[in-house]
Coordinates of all heavy atoms in Angstrom, one line a residue:
M556 N 145.6 119.5 31.6 CA 146.2 120.1 32.7 C 145.3 121.2 33.2 O 144.8 122.0 32.5 CB 147.6 120.7 32.3 CG 148.2 121.4 33.5 SD 149.9 121.9 33.3 CE 150.7 120.4 32.9
V557 N 145.2 121.3 34.6 CA 144.4 122.3 35.2 C 145.4 123.1 36.1 O 146.2 122.5 36.8 CB 143.3 121.7 36.1 CG1 142.6 122.8 36.9 CG2 142.3 120.9 35.3
T558 N 145.4 124.4 35.9 CA 146.3 125.3 36.7 C 145.5 126.0 37.7 O 144.5 126.5 37.4 CB 147.0 126.3 35.8 OG1 147.8 125.6 34.8 CG2 147.9 127.2 36.6
V559 N 145.9 125.9 39.0 CA 145.2 126.5 40.1 C 146.1 127.6 40.7 O 147.4 127.5 40.6 CB 144.8 125.5 41.2 CG1 143.8 124.6 40.6 CG2 146.0 124.8 41.8
G560 N 145.5 128.7 41.1 CA 146.3 129.7 41.7 C 145.6 130.3 42.9 O 144.4 130.1 43.2
G561 N 146.3 131.1 43.7 CA 145.8 131.7 44.9 C 145.6 130.8 46.0 O 146.4 129.9 46.3
E562 N 144.4 130.8 46.6 CA 144.1 130.0 47.7 C 143.0 128.9 47.3 O 142.0 129.3 46.7 CB 143.6 130.8 48.9 CG 144.6 131.8 49.4 CD 144.2 132.5 50.6 OE1 143.0 132.4 51.0 OE2 145.0 133.3 51.1
I563 N 143.2 127.7 47.7 CA 142.2 126.7 47.5 C 141.6 126.4 48.9 O 142.3 125.9 49.8 CB 142.9 125.4 47.0 CG1 143.7 125.7 45.7 CG2 141.8 124.4 46.7 CD1 144.5 124.5 45.3
D564 N 140.5 127.0 49.1 CA 139.8 126.9 50.4 C 138.3 126.7 50.3 O 137.8 126.3 49.2 CB 140.1 128.2 51.2 CG 139.7 129.5 50.5 OD1 138.8 129.4 49.6 OD2 140.2 130.5 50.9
L565 N 137.6 126.9 51.4 CA 136.2 126.6 51.4 C 135.5 127.4 50.3 O 134.5 126.9 49.8 CB 135.7 127.1 52.8 CG 134.2 126.9 53.1 CD1 133.8 125.4 53.0 CD2 133.8 127.5 54.4
Y566 N 135.9 128.5 50.0 CA 135.2 129.4 49.0 C 135.6 129.0 47.5 O 134.8 129.2 46.6 CB 135.5 130.9 49.3 CG 135.1 131.2 50.7 CD1 136.0 131.4 51.7 CD2 133.7 131.4 51.0 CE1 135.6 131.7 53.0 CE2 133.3 131.7 52.2 CZ 134.2 131.9 53.2 OH 133.8 132.1 54.5
T567 N 136.8 128.6 47.3 CA 137.3 128.3 45.9 C 137.3 126.9 45.6 O 137.3 126.5 44.4 CB 138.7 128.9 45.7 OG1 139.6 128.3 46.6 CG2 138.7 130.4 45.9
A568 N 137.3 126.0 46.6 CA 137.3 124.5 46.3 C 136.2 124.0 45.4 O 136.4 123.2 44.6 CB 137.4 123.8 47.6
P569 N 134.9 124.6 45.6 CA 133.8 124.1 44.7 C 134.1 124.4 43.2 O 133.7 123.5 42.4 CB 132.6 124.9 45.2 CG 132.9 125.2 46.7 CD 134.4 125.4 46.7
Q570 N 134.7 125.5 42.9 CA 135.0 125.8 41.5 C 136.1 124.8 41.0 O 135.9 124.3 39.9 CB 135.6 127.2 41.4 CG 135.9 127.6 40.0 CD 136.5 129.0 39.9 OE1 136.5 129.7 40.8 NE2 136.9 129.3 38.7
L571 N 137.1 124.5 41.8 CA 138.1 123.5 41.4 C 137.4 122.1 41.2 O 137.6 121.4 40.2 CB 139.2 123.4 42.4 CG 140.2 122.3 42.2 CD1 140.9 122.5 40.8 CD2 141.3 122.3 43.3
R572 N 136.5 121.7 42.2 CA 135.8 120.4 42.1 C 135.0 120.4 40.8 O 135.1 119.4 40.0 CB 134.9 120.3 43.2 CG 134.2 118.9 43.2 CD 133.2 118.7 44.3 NE 131.9 119.4 44.0 CZ 131.0 119.0 43.1 NH1 131.3 118.0 42.4 NH2 129.9 119.7 42.9
N573 N 134.3 121.4 40.4 CA 133.5 121.5 39.2 C 134.4 121.3 38.0 O 134.1 120.5 37.0 CB 132.7 122.8 39.1 CG 131.6 122.8 40.1 OD1 131.2 121.8 40.6 ND2 131.2 124.0 40.4
E574 N 135.6 121.9 37.9 CA 136.5 121.8 36.8 C 137.0 120.4 36.7 O 137.0 119.8 35.6 CB 137.7 122.8 37.0 CG 137.3 124.2 36.8 CD 137.0 124.6 35.4 OE1 137.6 124.1 34.5 OE2 136.1 125.5 35.3
L575 N 137.4 119.8 37.8 CA 137.9 118.4 37.7 C 136.8 117.4 37.4 O 137.1 116.5 36.6 CB 138.5 118.1 39.1 CG 139.7 118.9 39.5 CD1 140.3 118.6 40.9 CD2 140.8 118.9 38.4
V576 N 135.6 117.6 37.9 CA 134.5 116.7 37.6 C 134.2 116.8 36.1 O 134.0 115.8 35.4 CB 133.3 116.9 38.5 CG1 132.1 116.2 37.9 CG2 133.6 116.5 39.9
E577 N 134.1 118.0 35.6 CA 133.9 118.2 34.1 C 134.9 117.5 33.3 O 134.6 116.9 32.3 CB 133.8 119.7 33.8 CG 132.5 120.4 34.2 CD 132.5 121.9 33.9 OE1 133.3 122.3 33.1 OE2 131.7 122.6 34.5
S578 N 136.2 117.6 33.7 CA 137.2 117.0 32.9 C 137.1 115.5 32.9 O 137.2 114.8 31.9 CB 138.6 117.3 33.5 OG 138.9 118.7 33.3
L579 N 136.7 114.9 34.1 CA 136.6 113.5 34.2 C 135.3 113.0 33.4 O 135.4 112.0 32.7 CB 136.4 113.0 35.6 CG 137.7 113.1 36.4 CD1 137.4 113.0 37.9 CD2 138.7 112.1 36.0
E580 N 134.3 113.8 33.4 CA 133.1 113.4 32.7 C 133.3 113.5 31.2 O 132.6 112.8 30.4 CB 131.9 114.3 33.2 CG 131.4 113.9 34.5 CD 130.3 114.7 35.0 OE1 129.9 115.7 34.4 OE2 129.7 114.4 36.1
A581 N 134.2 114.4 30.8 CA 134.5 114.5 29.4 C 135.5 113.4 28.9 O 135.8 113.4 27.7 CB 135.2 115.9 29.1
G582 N 135.9 112.5 29.8 CA 136.7 111.4 29.4 C 138.1 111.4 29.8 O 138.9 110.5 29.5
T583 N 138.5 112.5 30.4 CA 139.9 112.6 30.9 C 140.2 111.6 32.0 O 139.4 111.4 32.9 CB 140.2 114.0 31.5 OG1 140.0 115.0 30.4 CG2 141.6 114.2 32.0
R584 N 141.3 110.9 31.9 CA 141.6 109.9 32.9 C 142.8 110.4 33.7 O 142.8 110.1 34.9 CB 141.9 108.5 32.3 CG 140.7 107.9 31.7 CD 140.9 106.5 31.1 NE 142.1 105.9 31.5 CZ 142.8 105.0 30.8 NH1 142.3 104.6 29.6 NH2 143.8 104.4 31.3
R585 N 143.7 111.0 33.1 CA 144.9 111.5 33.8 C 144.7 113.0 34.1 O 144.8 113.8 33.2 CB 146.1 111.3 32.9 CG 147.4 111.8 33.5 CD 148.6 111.6 32.6 NE 149.8 112.0 33.1 CZ 150.8 112.5 32.4 NH1 150.7 112.5 31.1 NH2 152.0 112.8 33.0
L586 N 144.5 113.3 35.3 CA 144.4 114.7 35.7 C 145.7 115.2 36.2 O 146.3 114.7 37.1 CB 143.4 114.9 36.9 CG 141.9 114.6 36.5 CD1 141.1 114.5 37.8 CD2 141.4 115.6 35.6
V587 N 146.2 116.3 35.6 CA 147.5 116.9 36.0 C 147.1 118.3 36.5 O 146.6 119.1 35.8 CB 148.5 117.0 34.8 CG1 149.7 117.7 35.2 CG2 148.7 115.6 34.2
I588 N 147.5 118.5 37.8 CA 147.1 119.8 38.4 C 148.4 120.6 38.7 O 149.3 120.2 39.5 CB 146.5 119.5 39.8 CG1 145.4 118.5 39.7 CG2 145.9 120.9 40.4 CD1 144.2 118.8 38.9
D589 N 148.5 121.7 38.0 CA 149.7 122.6 38.1 C 149.4 123.4 39.4 O 148.6 124.3 39.4 CB 149.9 123.5 36.9 CG 151.0 124.4 37.0 OD1 151.7 124.5 38.1 OD2 151.3 125.2 36.1
M590 N 150.2 123.2 40.4 CA 150.0 123.8 41.7 C 151.0 125.0 41.9 O 151.0 125.6 43.0 CB 150.1 122.8 42.9 CG 149.2 121.7 42.8 SD 147.5 122.1 43.3 CE 147.7 122.3 45.0
S591 N 151.7 125.3 40.9 CA 152.8 126.3 41.0 C 152.3 127.7 41.4 O 153.1 128.5 41.9 CB 153.6 126.4 39.8 OG 152.9 126.9 38.7
R592 N 151.1 128.0 41.2 CA 150.5 129.3 41.6 C 149.6 129.3 42.8 O 149.1 130.3 43.2 CB 149.8 129.9 40.4 CG 150.7 130.1 39.2 CD 149.9 130.7 38.0 NE 150.8 130.8 36.9 CZ 150.3 130.7 35.6 NH1 149.1 130.6 35.4 NH2 151.2 130.8 34.6
A593 N 149.4 128.1 43.4 CA 148.6 128.0 44.6 C 149.4 128.3 45.8 O 150.4 127.7 46.1 CB 148.0 126.6 44.7
E594 N 149.0 129.4 46.5 CA 149.7 129.8 47.7 C 149.3 129.1 49.0 O 150.1 129.0 49.9 CB 149.5 131.3 47.9 CG 149.9 132.2 46.8 CD 151.4 132.2 46.6 OE1 152.2 132.0 47.6 OE2 151.9 132.4 45.4
F595 N 148.1 128.5 48.9 CA 147.5 127.9 50.1 C 146.5 126.8 49.7 O 145.8 127.0 48.7 CB 146.8 129.0 51.0 CG 146.1 128.5 52.2 CD1 146.7 128.1 53.3 CD2 144.7 128.4 52.1 CE1 146.0 127.7 54.4 CE2 144.0 127.9 53.2 CZ 144.7 127.6 54.4
C596 N 146.4 125.8 50.5 CA 145.4 124.8 50.3 C 144.9 124.2 51.6 O 145.7 123.7 52.4 CB 145.9 123.6 49.4 SG 144.7 122.4 48.9
D597 N 143.6 124.4 52.0 CA 143.1 123.9 53.2 C 142.5 122.5 53.1 O 142.6 121.9 52.0 CB 142.1 124.9 53.8 CG 140.8 125.0 53.1 OD1 140.5 124.2 52.2 OD2 140.0 125.8 53.6
S598 N 141.9 122.1 54.1 CA 141.4 120.7 54.1 C 140.3 120.5 53.1 O 140.1 119.4 52.5 CB 140.9 120.3 55.5 OG 139.8 121.2 55.9
T599 N 139.6 121.6 52.8 CA 138.5 121.5 51.8 C 139.1 121.2 50.4 O 138.7 120.4 49.6 CB 137.7 122.8 51.7 OG1 137.2 123.1 53.0 CG2 136.5 122.6 50.8
G600 N 140.2 122.0 50.1 CA 140.9 121.8 48.8 C 141.6 120.4 48.8 O 141.5 119.7 47.7
I601 N 142.1 119.9 49.9 CA 142.7 118.6 49.9 C 141.6 117.5 49.6 O 141.9 116.6 48.9 CB 143.4 118.3 51.2 CG1 144.6 119.2 51.4 CG2 143.8 116.9 51.4 CD1 145.8 119.0 50.5
S602 N 140.5 117.7 50.2 CA 139.4 116.8 50.0 C 139.0 116.7 48.5 O 138.7 115.7 48.0 CB 138.2 117.2 50.9 OG 137.1 116.4 50.7
V603 N 138.9 117.9 47.9 CA 138.6 117.9 46.5 C 139.6 117.2 45.6 O 139.3 116.4 44.7 CB 138.5 119.4 46.0 CG1 138.4 119.5 44.4 CG2 137.2 120.1 46.5
L604 N 140.9 117.4 45.9 CA 141.9 116.7 45.2 C 141.9 115.2 45.4 O 142.0 114.4 44.5 CB 143.3 117.2 45.6 CG 143.6 118.6 45.2 CD1 144.9 119.1 45.9 CD2 143.6 118.8 43.7
L605 N 141.6 114.7 46.7 CA 141.5 113.3 47.0 C 140.3 112.7 46.3 O 140.4 111.6 45.7 CB 141.4 113.1 48.5 CG 142.7 113.2 49.3 CD1 142.3 113.2 50.8 CD2 143.6 112.0 49.0
S606 N 139.2 113.4 46.3 CA 138.0 112.9 45.6 C 138.2 112.7 44.1 O 137.8 111.7 43.5 CB 136.8 113.8 45.9 OG 135.7 113.4 45.2
A607 N 138.9 113.7 43.5 CA 139.2 113.7 42.1 C 140.1 112.6 41.7 O 140.0 111.9 40.7 CB 139.7 115.0 41.6
M608 N 141.1 112.3 42.6 CA 142.1 111.3 42.4 C 141.3 109.9 42.5 O 141.6 109.0 41.6 CB 143.2 111.3 43.5 CG 144.2 110.2 43.3 SD 145.5 110.2 44.6 CE 144.5 109.7 46.0
K609 N 140.4 109.7 43.4 CA 139.7 108.5 43.5 C 138.8 108.3 42.2 O 138.8 107.2 41.7 CB 138.8 108.5 44.7 CG 138.0 107.2 44.9 CD 137.1 107.3 46.1 CE 136.3 106.0 46.3 NZ 135.8 105.3 45.1
R610 N 138.1 109.3 41.8 CA 137.3 109.2 40.6 C 138.2 108.8 39.4 O 137.8 108.0 38.6 CB 136.6 110.5 40.3 CG 135.4 110.8 41.2 CD 134.8 112.1 40.9 NE 133.8 112.4 41.9 CZ 132.7 113.0 41.5 NH1 132.4 113.4 40.3 NH2 131.8 113.3 42.5
S611 N 139.3 109.5 39.3 CA 140.2 109.2 38.2 C 140.7 107.8 38.2 O 140.8 107.1 37.2 CB 141.4 110.2 38.2 OG 142.2 110.0 37.1
R612 N 141.1 107.3 39.4 CA 141.7 106.0 39.6 C 140.6 104.9 39.3 O 140.8 103.9 38.8 CB 142.3 105.8 40.9 CG 143.6 106.5 41.1 CD 144.3 106.2 42.4 NE 145.6 106.9 42.4 CZ 146.4 106.9 43.5 NH1 146.0 106.4 44.6 NH2 147.5 107.5 43.4
D613 N 139.3 105.3 39.7 CA 138.2 104.4 39.4 C 138.0 104.2 37.9 O 137.5 103.2 37.4 CB 136.9 104.9 40.0 CG 136.8 104.7 41.5 OD1 137.7 104.0 42.1 OD2 135.9 105.4 42.1
R614 N 138.5 105.1 37.1 CA 138.4 105.1 35.6 C 139.7 104.6 35.0 O 139.9 104.7 33.8 CB 138.0 106.5 35.1 CG 136.6 106.9 35.4 CD 136.4 108.3 35.0 NE 135.0 108.7 35.0 CZ 134.3 109.2 36.0 NH1 135.0 109.4 37.1 NH2 133.1 109.5 35.9
G615 N 140.6 104.1 35.8 CA 141.9 103.6 35.3 C 142.9 104.7 35.1 O 143.9 104.5 34.4
G616 N 142.7 105.9 35.6 CA 143.7 107.0 35.5 C 144.3 107.3 36.8 O 144.5 106.5 37.7
D617 N 144.7 108.6 36.9 CA 145.4 109.0 38.1 C 145.3 110.6 38.2 O 144.9 111.2 37.2 CB 146.8 108.6 38.2 CG 147.3 108.5 39.6 OD1 146.6 108.9 40.6 OD2 148.4 107.9 39.8
L618 N 145.7 111.1 39.3 CA 145.8 112.5 39.5 C 147.2 112.8 39.9 O 147.7 112.2 40.8 CB 144.8 113.0 40.5 CG 144.8 114.5 40.8 CD1 143.4 115.0 41.0 CD2 145.7 114.9 42.0
E619 N 147.8 113.8 39.2 CA 149.2 114.2 39.5 C 149.3 115.6 39.9 O 148.6 116.5 39.2 CB 150.1 113.9 38.3 CG 150.0 112.4 37.9 CD 150.7 112.2 36.6 OE1 151.9 112.6 36.4 OE2 150.1 111.5 35.7
L620 N 150.1 116.0 40.9 CA 150.3 117.4 41.3 C 151.6 117.8 40.8 O 152.6 117.0 40.8 CB 150.2 117.5 42.8 CG 149.0 117.0 43.5 CD1 149.1 117.2 45.0 CD2 147.7 117.8 42.9
V621 N 151.7 119.0 40.3 CA 153.0 119.6 39.7 C 153.3 120.8 40.5 O 152.5 121.7 40.6 CB 152.9 119.9 38.2 CG1 154.2 120.4 37.7 CG2 152.5 118.6 37.5
A622 N 154.5 120.9 41.0 CA 155.2 122.1 41.5 C 154.4 122.8 42.7 O 154.2 124.0 42.7 CB 155.5 123.1 40.4
P623 N 154.0 122.0 43.7 CA 153.3 122.6 44.8 C 154.3 123.5 45.6 O 155.5 123.2 45.7 CB 152.9 121.5 45.7 CG 153.6 120.3 45.3 CD 154.1 120.5 43.9
K624 N 153.9 124.7 45.9 CA 154.7 125.6 46.7 C 155.0 125.1 48.1 O 154.3 124.2 48.5 CB 154.0 127.0 46.8 CG 154.0 127.7 45.5 CD 153.6 129.2 45.7 CE 153.6 129.9 44.4 NZ 154.8 130.7 44.2
P625 N 156.0 125.6 48.8 CA 156.4 125.0 50.1 C 155.2 124.9 51.1 O 155.1 124.0 51.8 CB 157.5 126.0 50.6 CG 158.1 126.4 49.3 CD 157.0 126.6 48.3
A626 N 154.3 126.0 51.1 CA 153.2 125.9 52.1 C 152.2 124.8 51.8 O 151.7 124.1 52.7 CB 152.5 127.3 52.1
V627 N 152.0 124.6 50.5 CA 151.1 123.5 50.1 C 151.8 122.1 50.3 O 151.2 121.2 50.8 CB 150.6 123.6 48.6 CG1 149.8 122.4 48.2 CG2 149.9 124.9 48.5
M628 N 153.1 122.1 50.0 CA 153.8 120.8 50.2 C 153.9 120.4 51.7 O 153.8 119.3 52.0 CB 155.2 121.0 49.6 CG 156.0 119.7 49.5 SD 155.2 118.6 48.3 CE 155.9 117.1 48.8
K629 N 154.0 121.4 52.5 CA 154.0 121.1 54.0 C 152.7 120.5 54.4 O 152.7 119.5 55.2 CB 154.3 122.4 54.8 CG 154.4 122.2 56.3 CD 154.9 123.4 57.0 CE 155.0 123.0 58.5 NZ 155.7 124.1 59.2
V630 N 151.6 121.0 53.9 CA 150.3 120.4 54.3 C 150.2 118.9 53.8 O 149.8 118.0 54.5 CB 149.1 121.2 53.7 CG1 147.8 120.5 53.8 CG2 149.0 122.6 54.3
L631 N 150.7 118.7 52.6 CA 150.7 117.3 52.1 C 151.6 116.4 52.9 O 151.3 115.3 53.2 CB 151.2 117.4 50.6 CG 150.3 118.1 49.6 CD1 150.9 118.2 48.3 CD2 148.9 117.3 49.5
Q632 N 152.8 116.9 53.3 CA 153.7 116.1 54.1 C 153.1 115.9 55.5 O 153.2 114.7 56.0 CB 155.0 116.9 54.2 CG 155.8 116.9 52.9 CD 157.0 117.8 52.9 OE1 157.1 118.7 53.7 NE2 158.0 117.5 52.1
V633 N 152.6 116.9 56.2 CA 152.0 116.7 57.5 C 150.9 115.7 57.5 O 150.8 114.9 58.5 CB 151.6 118.1 58.1 CG1 150.7 117.9 59.3 CG2 152.8 119.0 58.4
T634 N 150.1 115.7 56.5 CA 149.0 114.8 56.4 C 149.4 113.4 55.8 O 148.5 112.5 55.8 CB 147.9 115.3 55.5 OG1 148.4 115.6 54.2 CG2 147.3 116.6 56.1
G635 N 150.6 113.3 55.4 CA 151.0 112.0 54.8 C 150.6 111.8 53.3 O 150.8 110.8 52.7
L636 N 149.9 112.9 52.8 CA 149.4 112.8 51.4 C 150.5 112.9 50.4 O 150.2 112.6 49.2 CB 148.3 113.8 51.2 CG 147.0 113.5 52.0 CD1 146.0 114.6 51.9 CD2 146.4 112.1 51.7
D637 N 151.7 113.3 50.8 CA 152.8 113.4 49.8 C 153.2 111.9 49.4 O 153.8 111.7 48.4 CB 154.0 114.1 50.4 CG 154.5 113.4 51.7 OD1 153.7 112.9 52.5 OD2 155.8 113.5 51.8
E638 N 152.7 110.9 50.2 CA 153.0 109.5 49.8 C 151.8 109.0 49.0 O 151.9 107.9 48.5 CB 153.2 108.7 51.1 CG 154.4 109.1 51.9 CD 155.7 108.9 51.2 OE1 155.8 107.9 50.4 OE2 156.6 109.7 51.4
V639 N 150.7 109.7 48.9 CA 149.5 109.2 48.3 C 149.4 109.8 46.8 O 149.1 109.1 45.9 CB 148.2 109.6 49.1 CG1 146.9 109.3 48.3 CG2 148.2 108.9 50.4
F640 N 149.7 111.1 46.7 CA 149.6 111.7 45.4 C 150.9 111.5 44.7 O 152.0 111.4 45.3 CB 149.4 113.3 45.6 CG 148.0 113.7 46.0 CD1 147.8 114.2 47.3 CD2 147.0 113.6 45.2 CE1 146.6 114.6 47.7 CE2 145.7 114.0 45.6 CZ 145.5 114.5 46.8
V641 N 150.8 111.5 43.3 CA 152.0 111.5 42.5 C 152.3 113.0 42.4 O 151.5 113.8 42.0 CB 151.7 111.0 41.1 CG1 152.9 111.2 40.2 CG2 151.3 109.5 41.2
I642 N 153.6 113.4 42.8 CA 154.0 114.8 42.9 C 155.2 115.0 42.0 O 156.2 114.3 42.3 CB 154.2 115.3 44.3 CG1 152.9 115.1 45.2 CG2 154.6 116.7 44.3 CD1 153.1 115.4 46.6
H643 N 155.2 115.9 41.1 CA 156.3 116.3 40.3 C 156.9 117.6 40.7 O 156.1 118.5 41.0 CB 155.9 116.3 38.8 CG 155.3 115.0 38.3 ND1 156.1 113.9 38.0 CD2 154.0 114.7 38.1 CE1 155.3 113.0 37.6 NE2 154.0 113.4 37.6
P644 N 158.2 117.8 40.8 CA 158.7 119.1 41.3 C 158.5 120.2 40.4 O 158.4 121.4 40.8 CB 160.2 118.8 41.4 CG 160.5 117.6 40.5 CD 159.2 116.8 40.5
D645 N 158.4 120.0 39.1 CA 158.1 121.1 38.1 C 157.6 120.5 36.8 O 157.5 119.2 36.6 CB 159.4 121.9 37.8 CG 160.6 121.0 37.4 OD1 160.4 120.2 36.5 OD2 161.7 121.3 37.9
L646 N 157.2 121.3 35.9 CA 156.6 120.9 34.6 C 157.6 120.1 33.8 O 157.2 119.2 33.1 CB 156.1 122.1 33.8 CG 154.9 122.7 34.4 CD1 154.5 124.0 33.6 CD2 153.7 121.8 34.4
D647 N 158.9 120.4 33.9 CA 159.9 119.6 33.1 C 160.0 118.2 33.6 O 160.4 117.3 32.8 CB 161.3 120.3 33.3 CG 161.3 121.7 32.6 OD1 160.5 121.9 31.6 OD2 162.1 122.5 33.0
A648 N 159.7 117.9 34.8 CA 159.7 116.6 35.4 C 158.5 115.7 35.0 O 158.5 114.5 35.3 CB 159.9 116.6 36.9
L649 N 157.5 116.4 34.4 CA 156.3 115.7 34.1 C 156.5 114.8 32.9 O 156.8 115.3 31.8 CB 155.2 116.7 33.8 CG 153.8 116.3 33.6 CD1 153.2 115.6 34.9 CD2 152.9 117.4 33.2
P650 N 156.2 113.5 33.1 CA 156.4 112.6 31.9 C 155.2 112.8 30.9 O 154.1 113.1 31.3 CB 156.3 111.2 32.5 CG 155.6 111.4 33.8 CD 155.9 112.8 34.3
V651 N 155.5 112.7 29.7 CA 154.5 112.8 28.6 C 153.8 111.4 28.5 O 154.5 110.4 28.4 CB 155.2 113.2 27.3 CG1 154.1 113.2 26.2 CG2 155.9 114.5 27.4
A652 N 152.5 111.5 28.5 CA 151.8 110.2 28.3 C 152.0 109.7 26.9 O 152.2 110.4 25.9 CB 150.3 110.5 28.5
A653 N 152.0 108.4 26.8 CA 152.2 107.7 25.5 C 151.2 108.2 24.5 O 150.0 108.3 24.8 CB 152.1 106.2 25.7
G654 N 151.7 108.5 23.4 CA 150.8 108.9 22.3 C 150.4 110.4 22.3 O 149.7 110.9 21.4
T655 N 150.9 111.2 23.3 CA 150.6 112.6 23.3 C 151.7 113.5 23.0 O 151.5 114.7 22.8 CB 150.1 113.0 24.7 OG1 151.1 112.8 25.7 CG2 148.8 112.2 25.1
G656 N 152.9 113.0 22.9 CA 154.0 113.8 22.5 C 154.1 114.0 21.0 O 153.4 113.4 20.2
T657 N 155.0 114.9 20.6 CA 155.2 115.1 19.2 C 156.5 114.6 18.8 O 157.5 114.6 19.6 CB 155.2 116.6 18.9 OG1 156.2 117.3 19.7 CG2 153.8 117.2 19.2
A658 N 156.6 114.1 17.6 CA 157.9 113.5 17.1 C 158.9 114.6 16.8 O 158.5 115.7 16.4 CB 157.6 112.8 15.8
Q659 N 160.1 114.3 17.1 CA 161.2 115.3 17.0 C 162.0 115.0 15.8 O 162.3 113.9 15.5 CB 162.0 115.4 18.2 CG 161.2 115.7 19.4 CD 161.5 117.1 20.0 OE1 162.4 117.7 19.6 NE2 160.6 117.5 20.9

């Protein structure tokens, strides 16, 4: 899971891209992005997320967004990307991947 905060824009998107690429190169297939602390996401940030989703899907995985704030959700809805990304309303709604949970 990658947690992002503040603004995802022209200045911060390269750092997010690097984090996501490193995760994918390390073998991660399922990228989970906690957006609960991100106040804003511009087109540069959206591009980074789309690129990471494509890379992940090319490896048989996916990219999921968790708890985007209303301002970020609005951008996703206006662009139609709310239909492209898997979006969970909060961390409690996030399904646990097979084999990663603990026995109760």
Side-chain angles (χ1 to χ4, degrees):
M556 178 174 301
V557 175
T558 301
V559 295
E562 298 183 357
I563 307 169
D564 58 17
L565 180 64
Y566 301 105
T567 60
Q570 181 181 355
L571 176 60
R572 185 186 75 73
N573 290 341
E574 291 290 326
L575 298 177
V576 167
E577 284 179 18
S578 291
L579 289 167
E580 288 177 355
T583 300
R584 290 182 19 207
R585 179 184 181 209
L586 293 172
V587 178
I588 315 296
D589 179 357
M590 302 286 288
S591 64
R592 297 181 186 151
E594 300 294 332
F595 173 79
C596 186
D597 73 3
S598 61
T599 309
I601 294 294
S602 178
V603 167
L604 294 173
L605 283 169
S606 176
M608 180 181 68
K609 181 183 180 322
R610 287 178 185 216
S611 181
R612 287 184 177 174
D613 287 348
R614 291 176 166 87
D617 207 352
L618 181 142
E619 302 171 47
L620 304 177
V621 179
K624 289 192 177 258
V627 175
M628 192 64 196
K629 184 171 183 171
V630 171
L631 295 171
Q632 290 169 336
V633 167
T634 59
L636 293 173
D637 60 324
E638 299 293 327
V639 174
F640 288 109
V641 174
I642 302 173
H643 303 283
D645 55 45
L646 291 173
D647 293 334
L649 187 65
V651 176
T655 61
T657 57
Q659 303 252 348

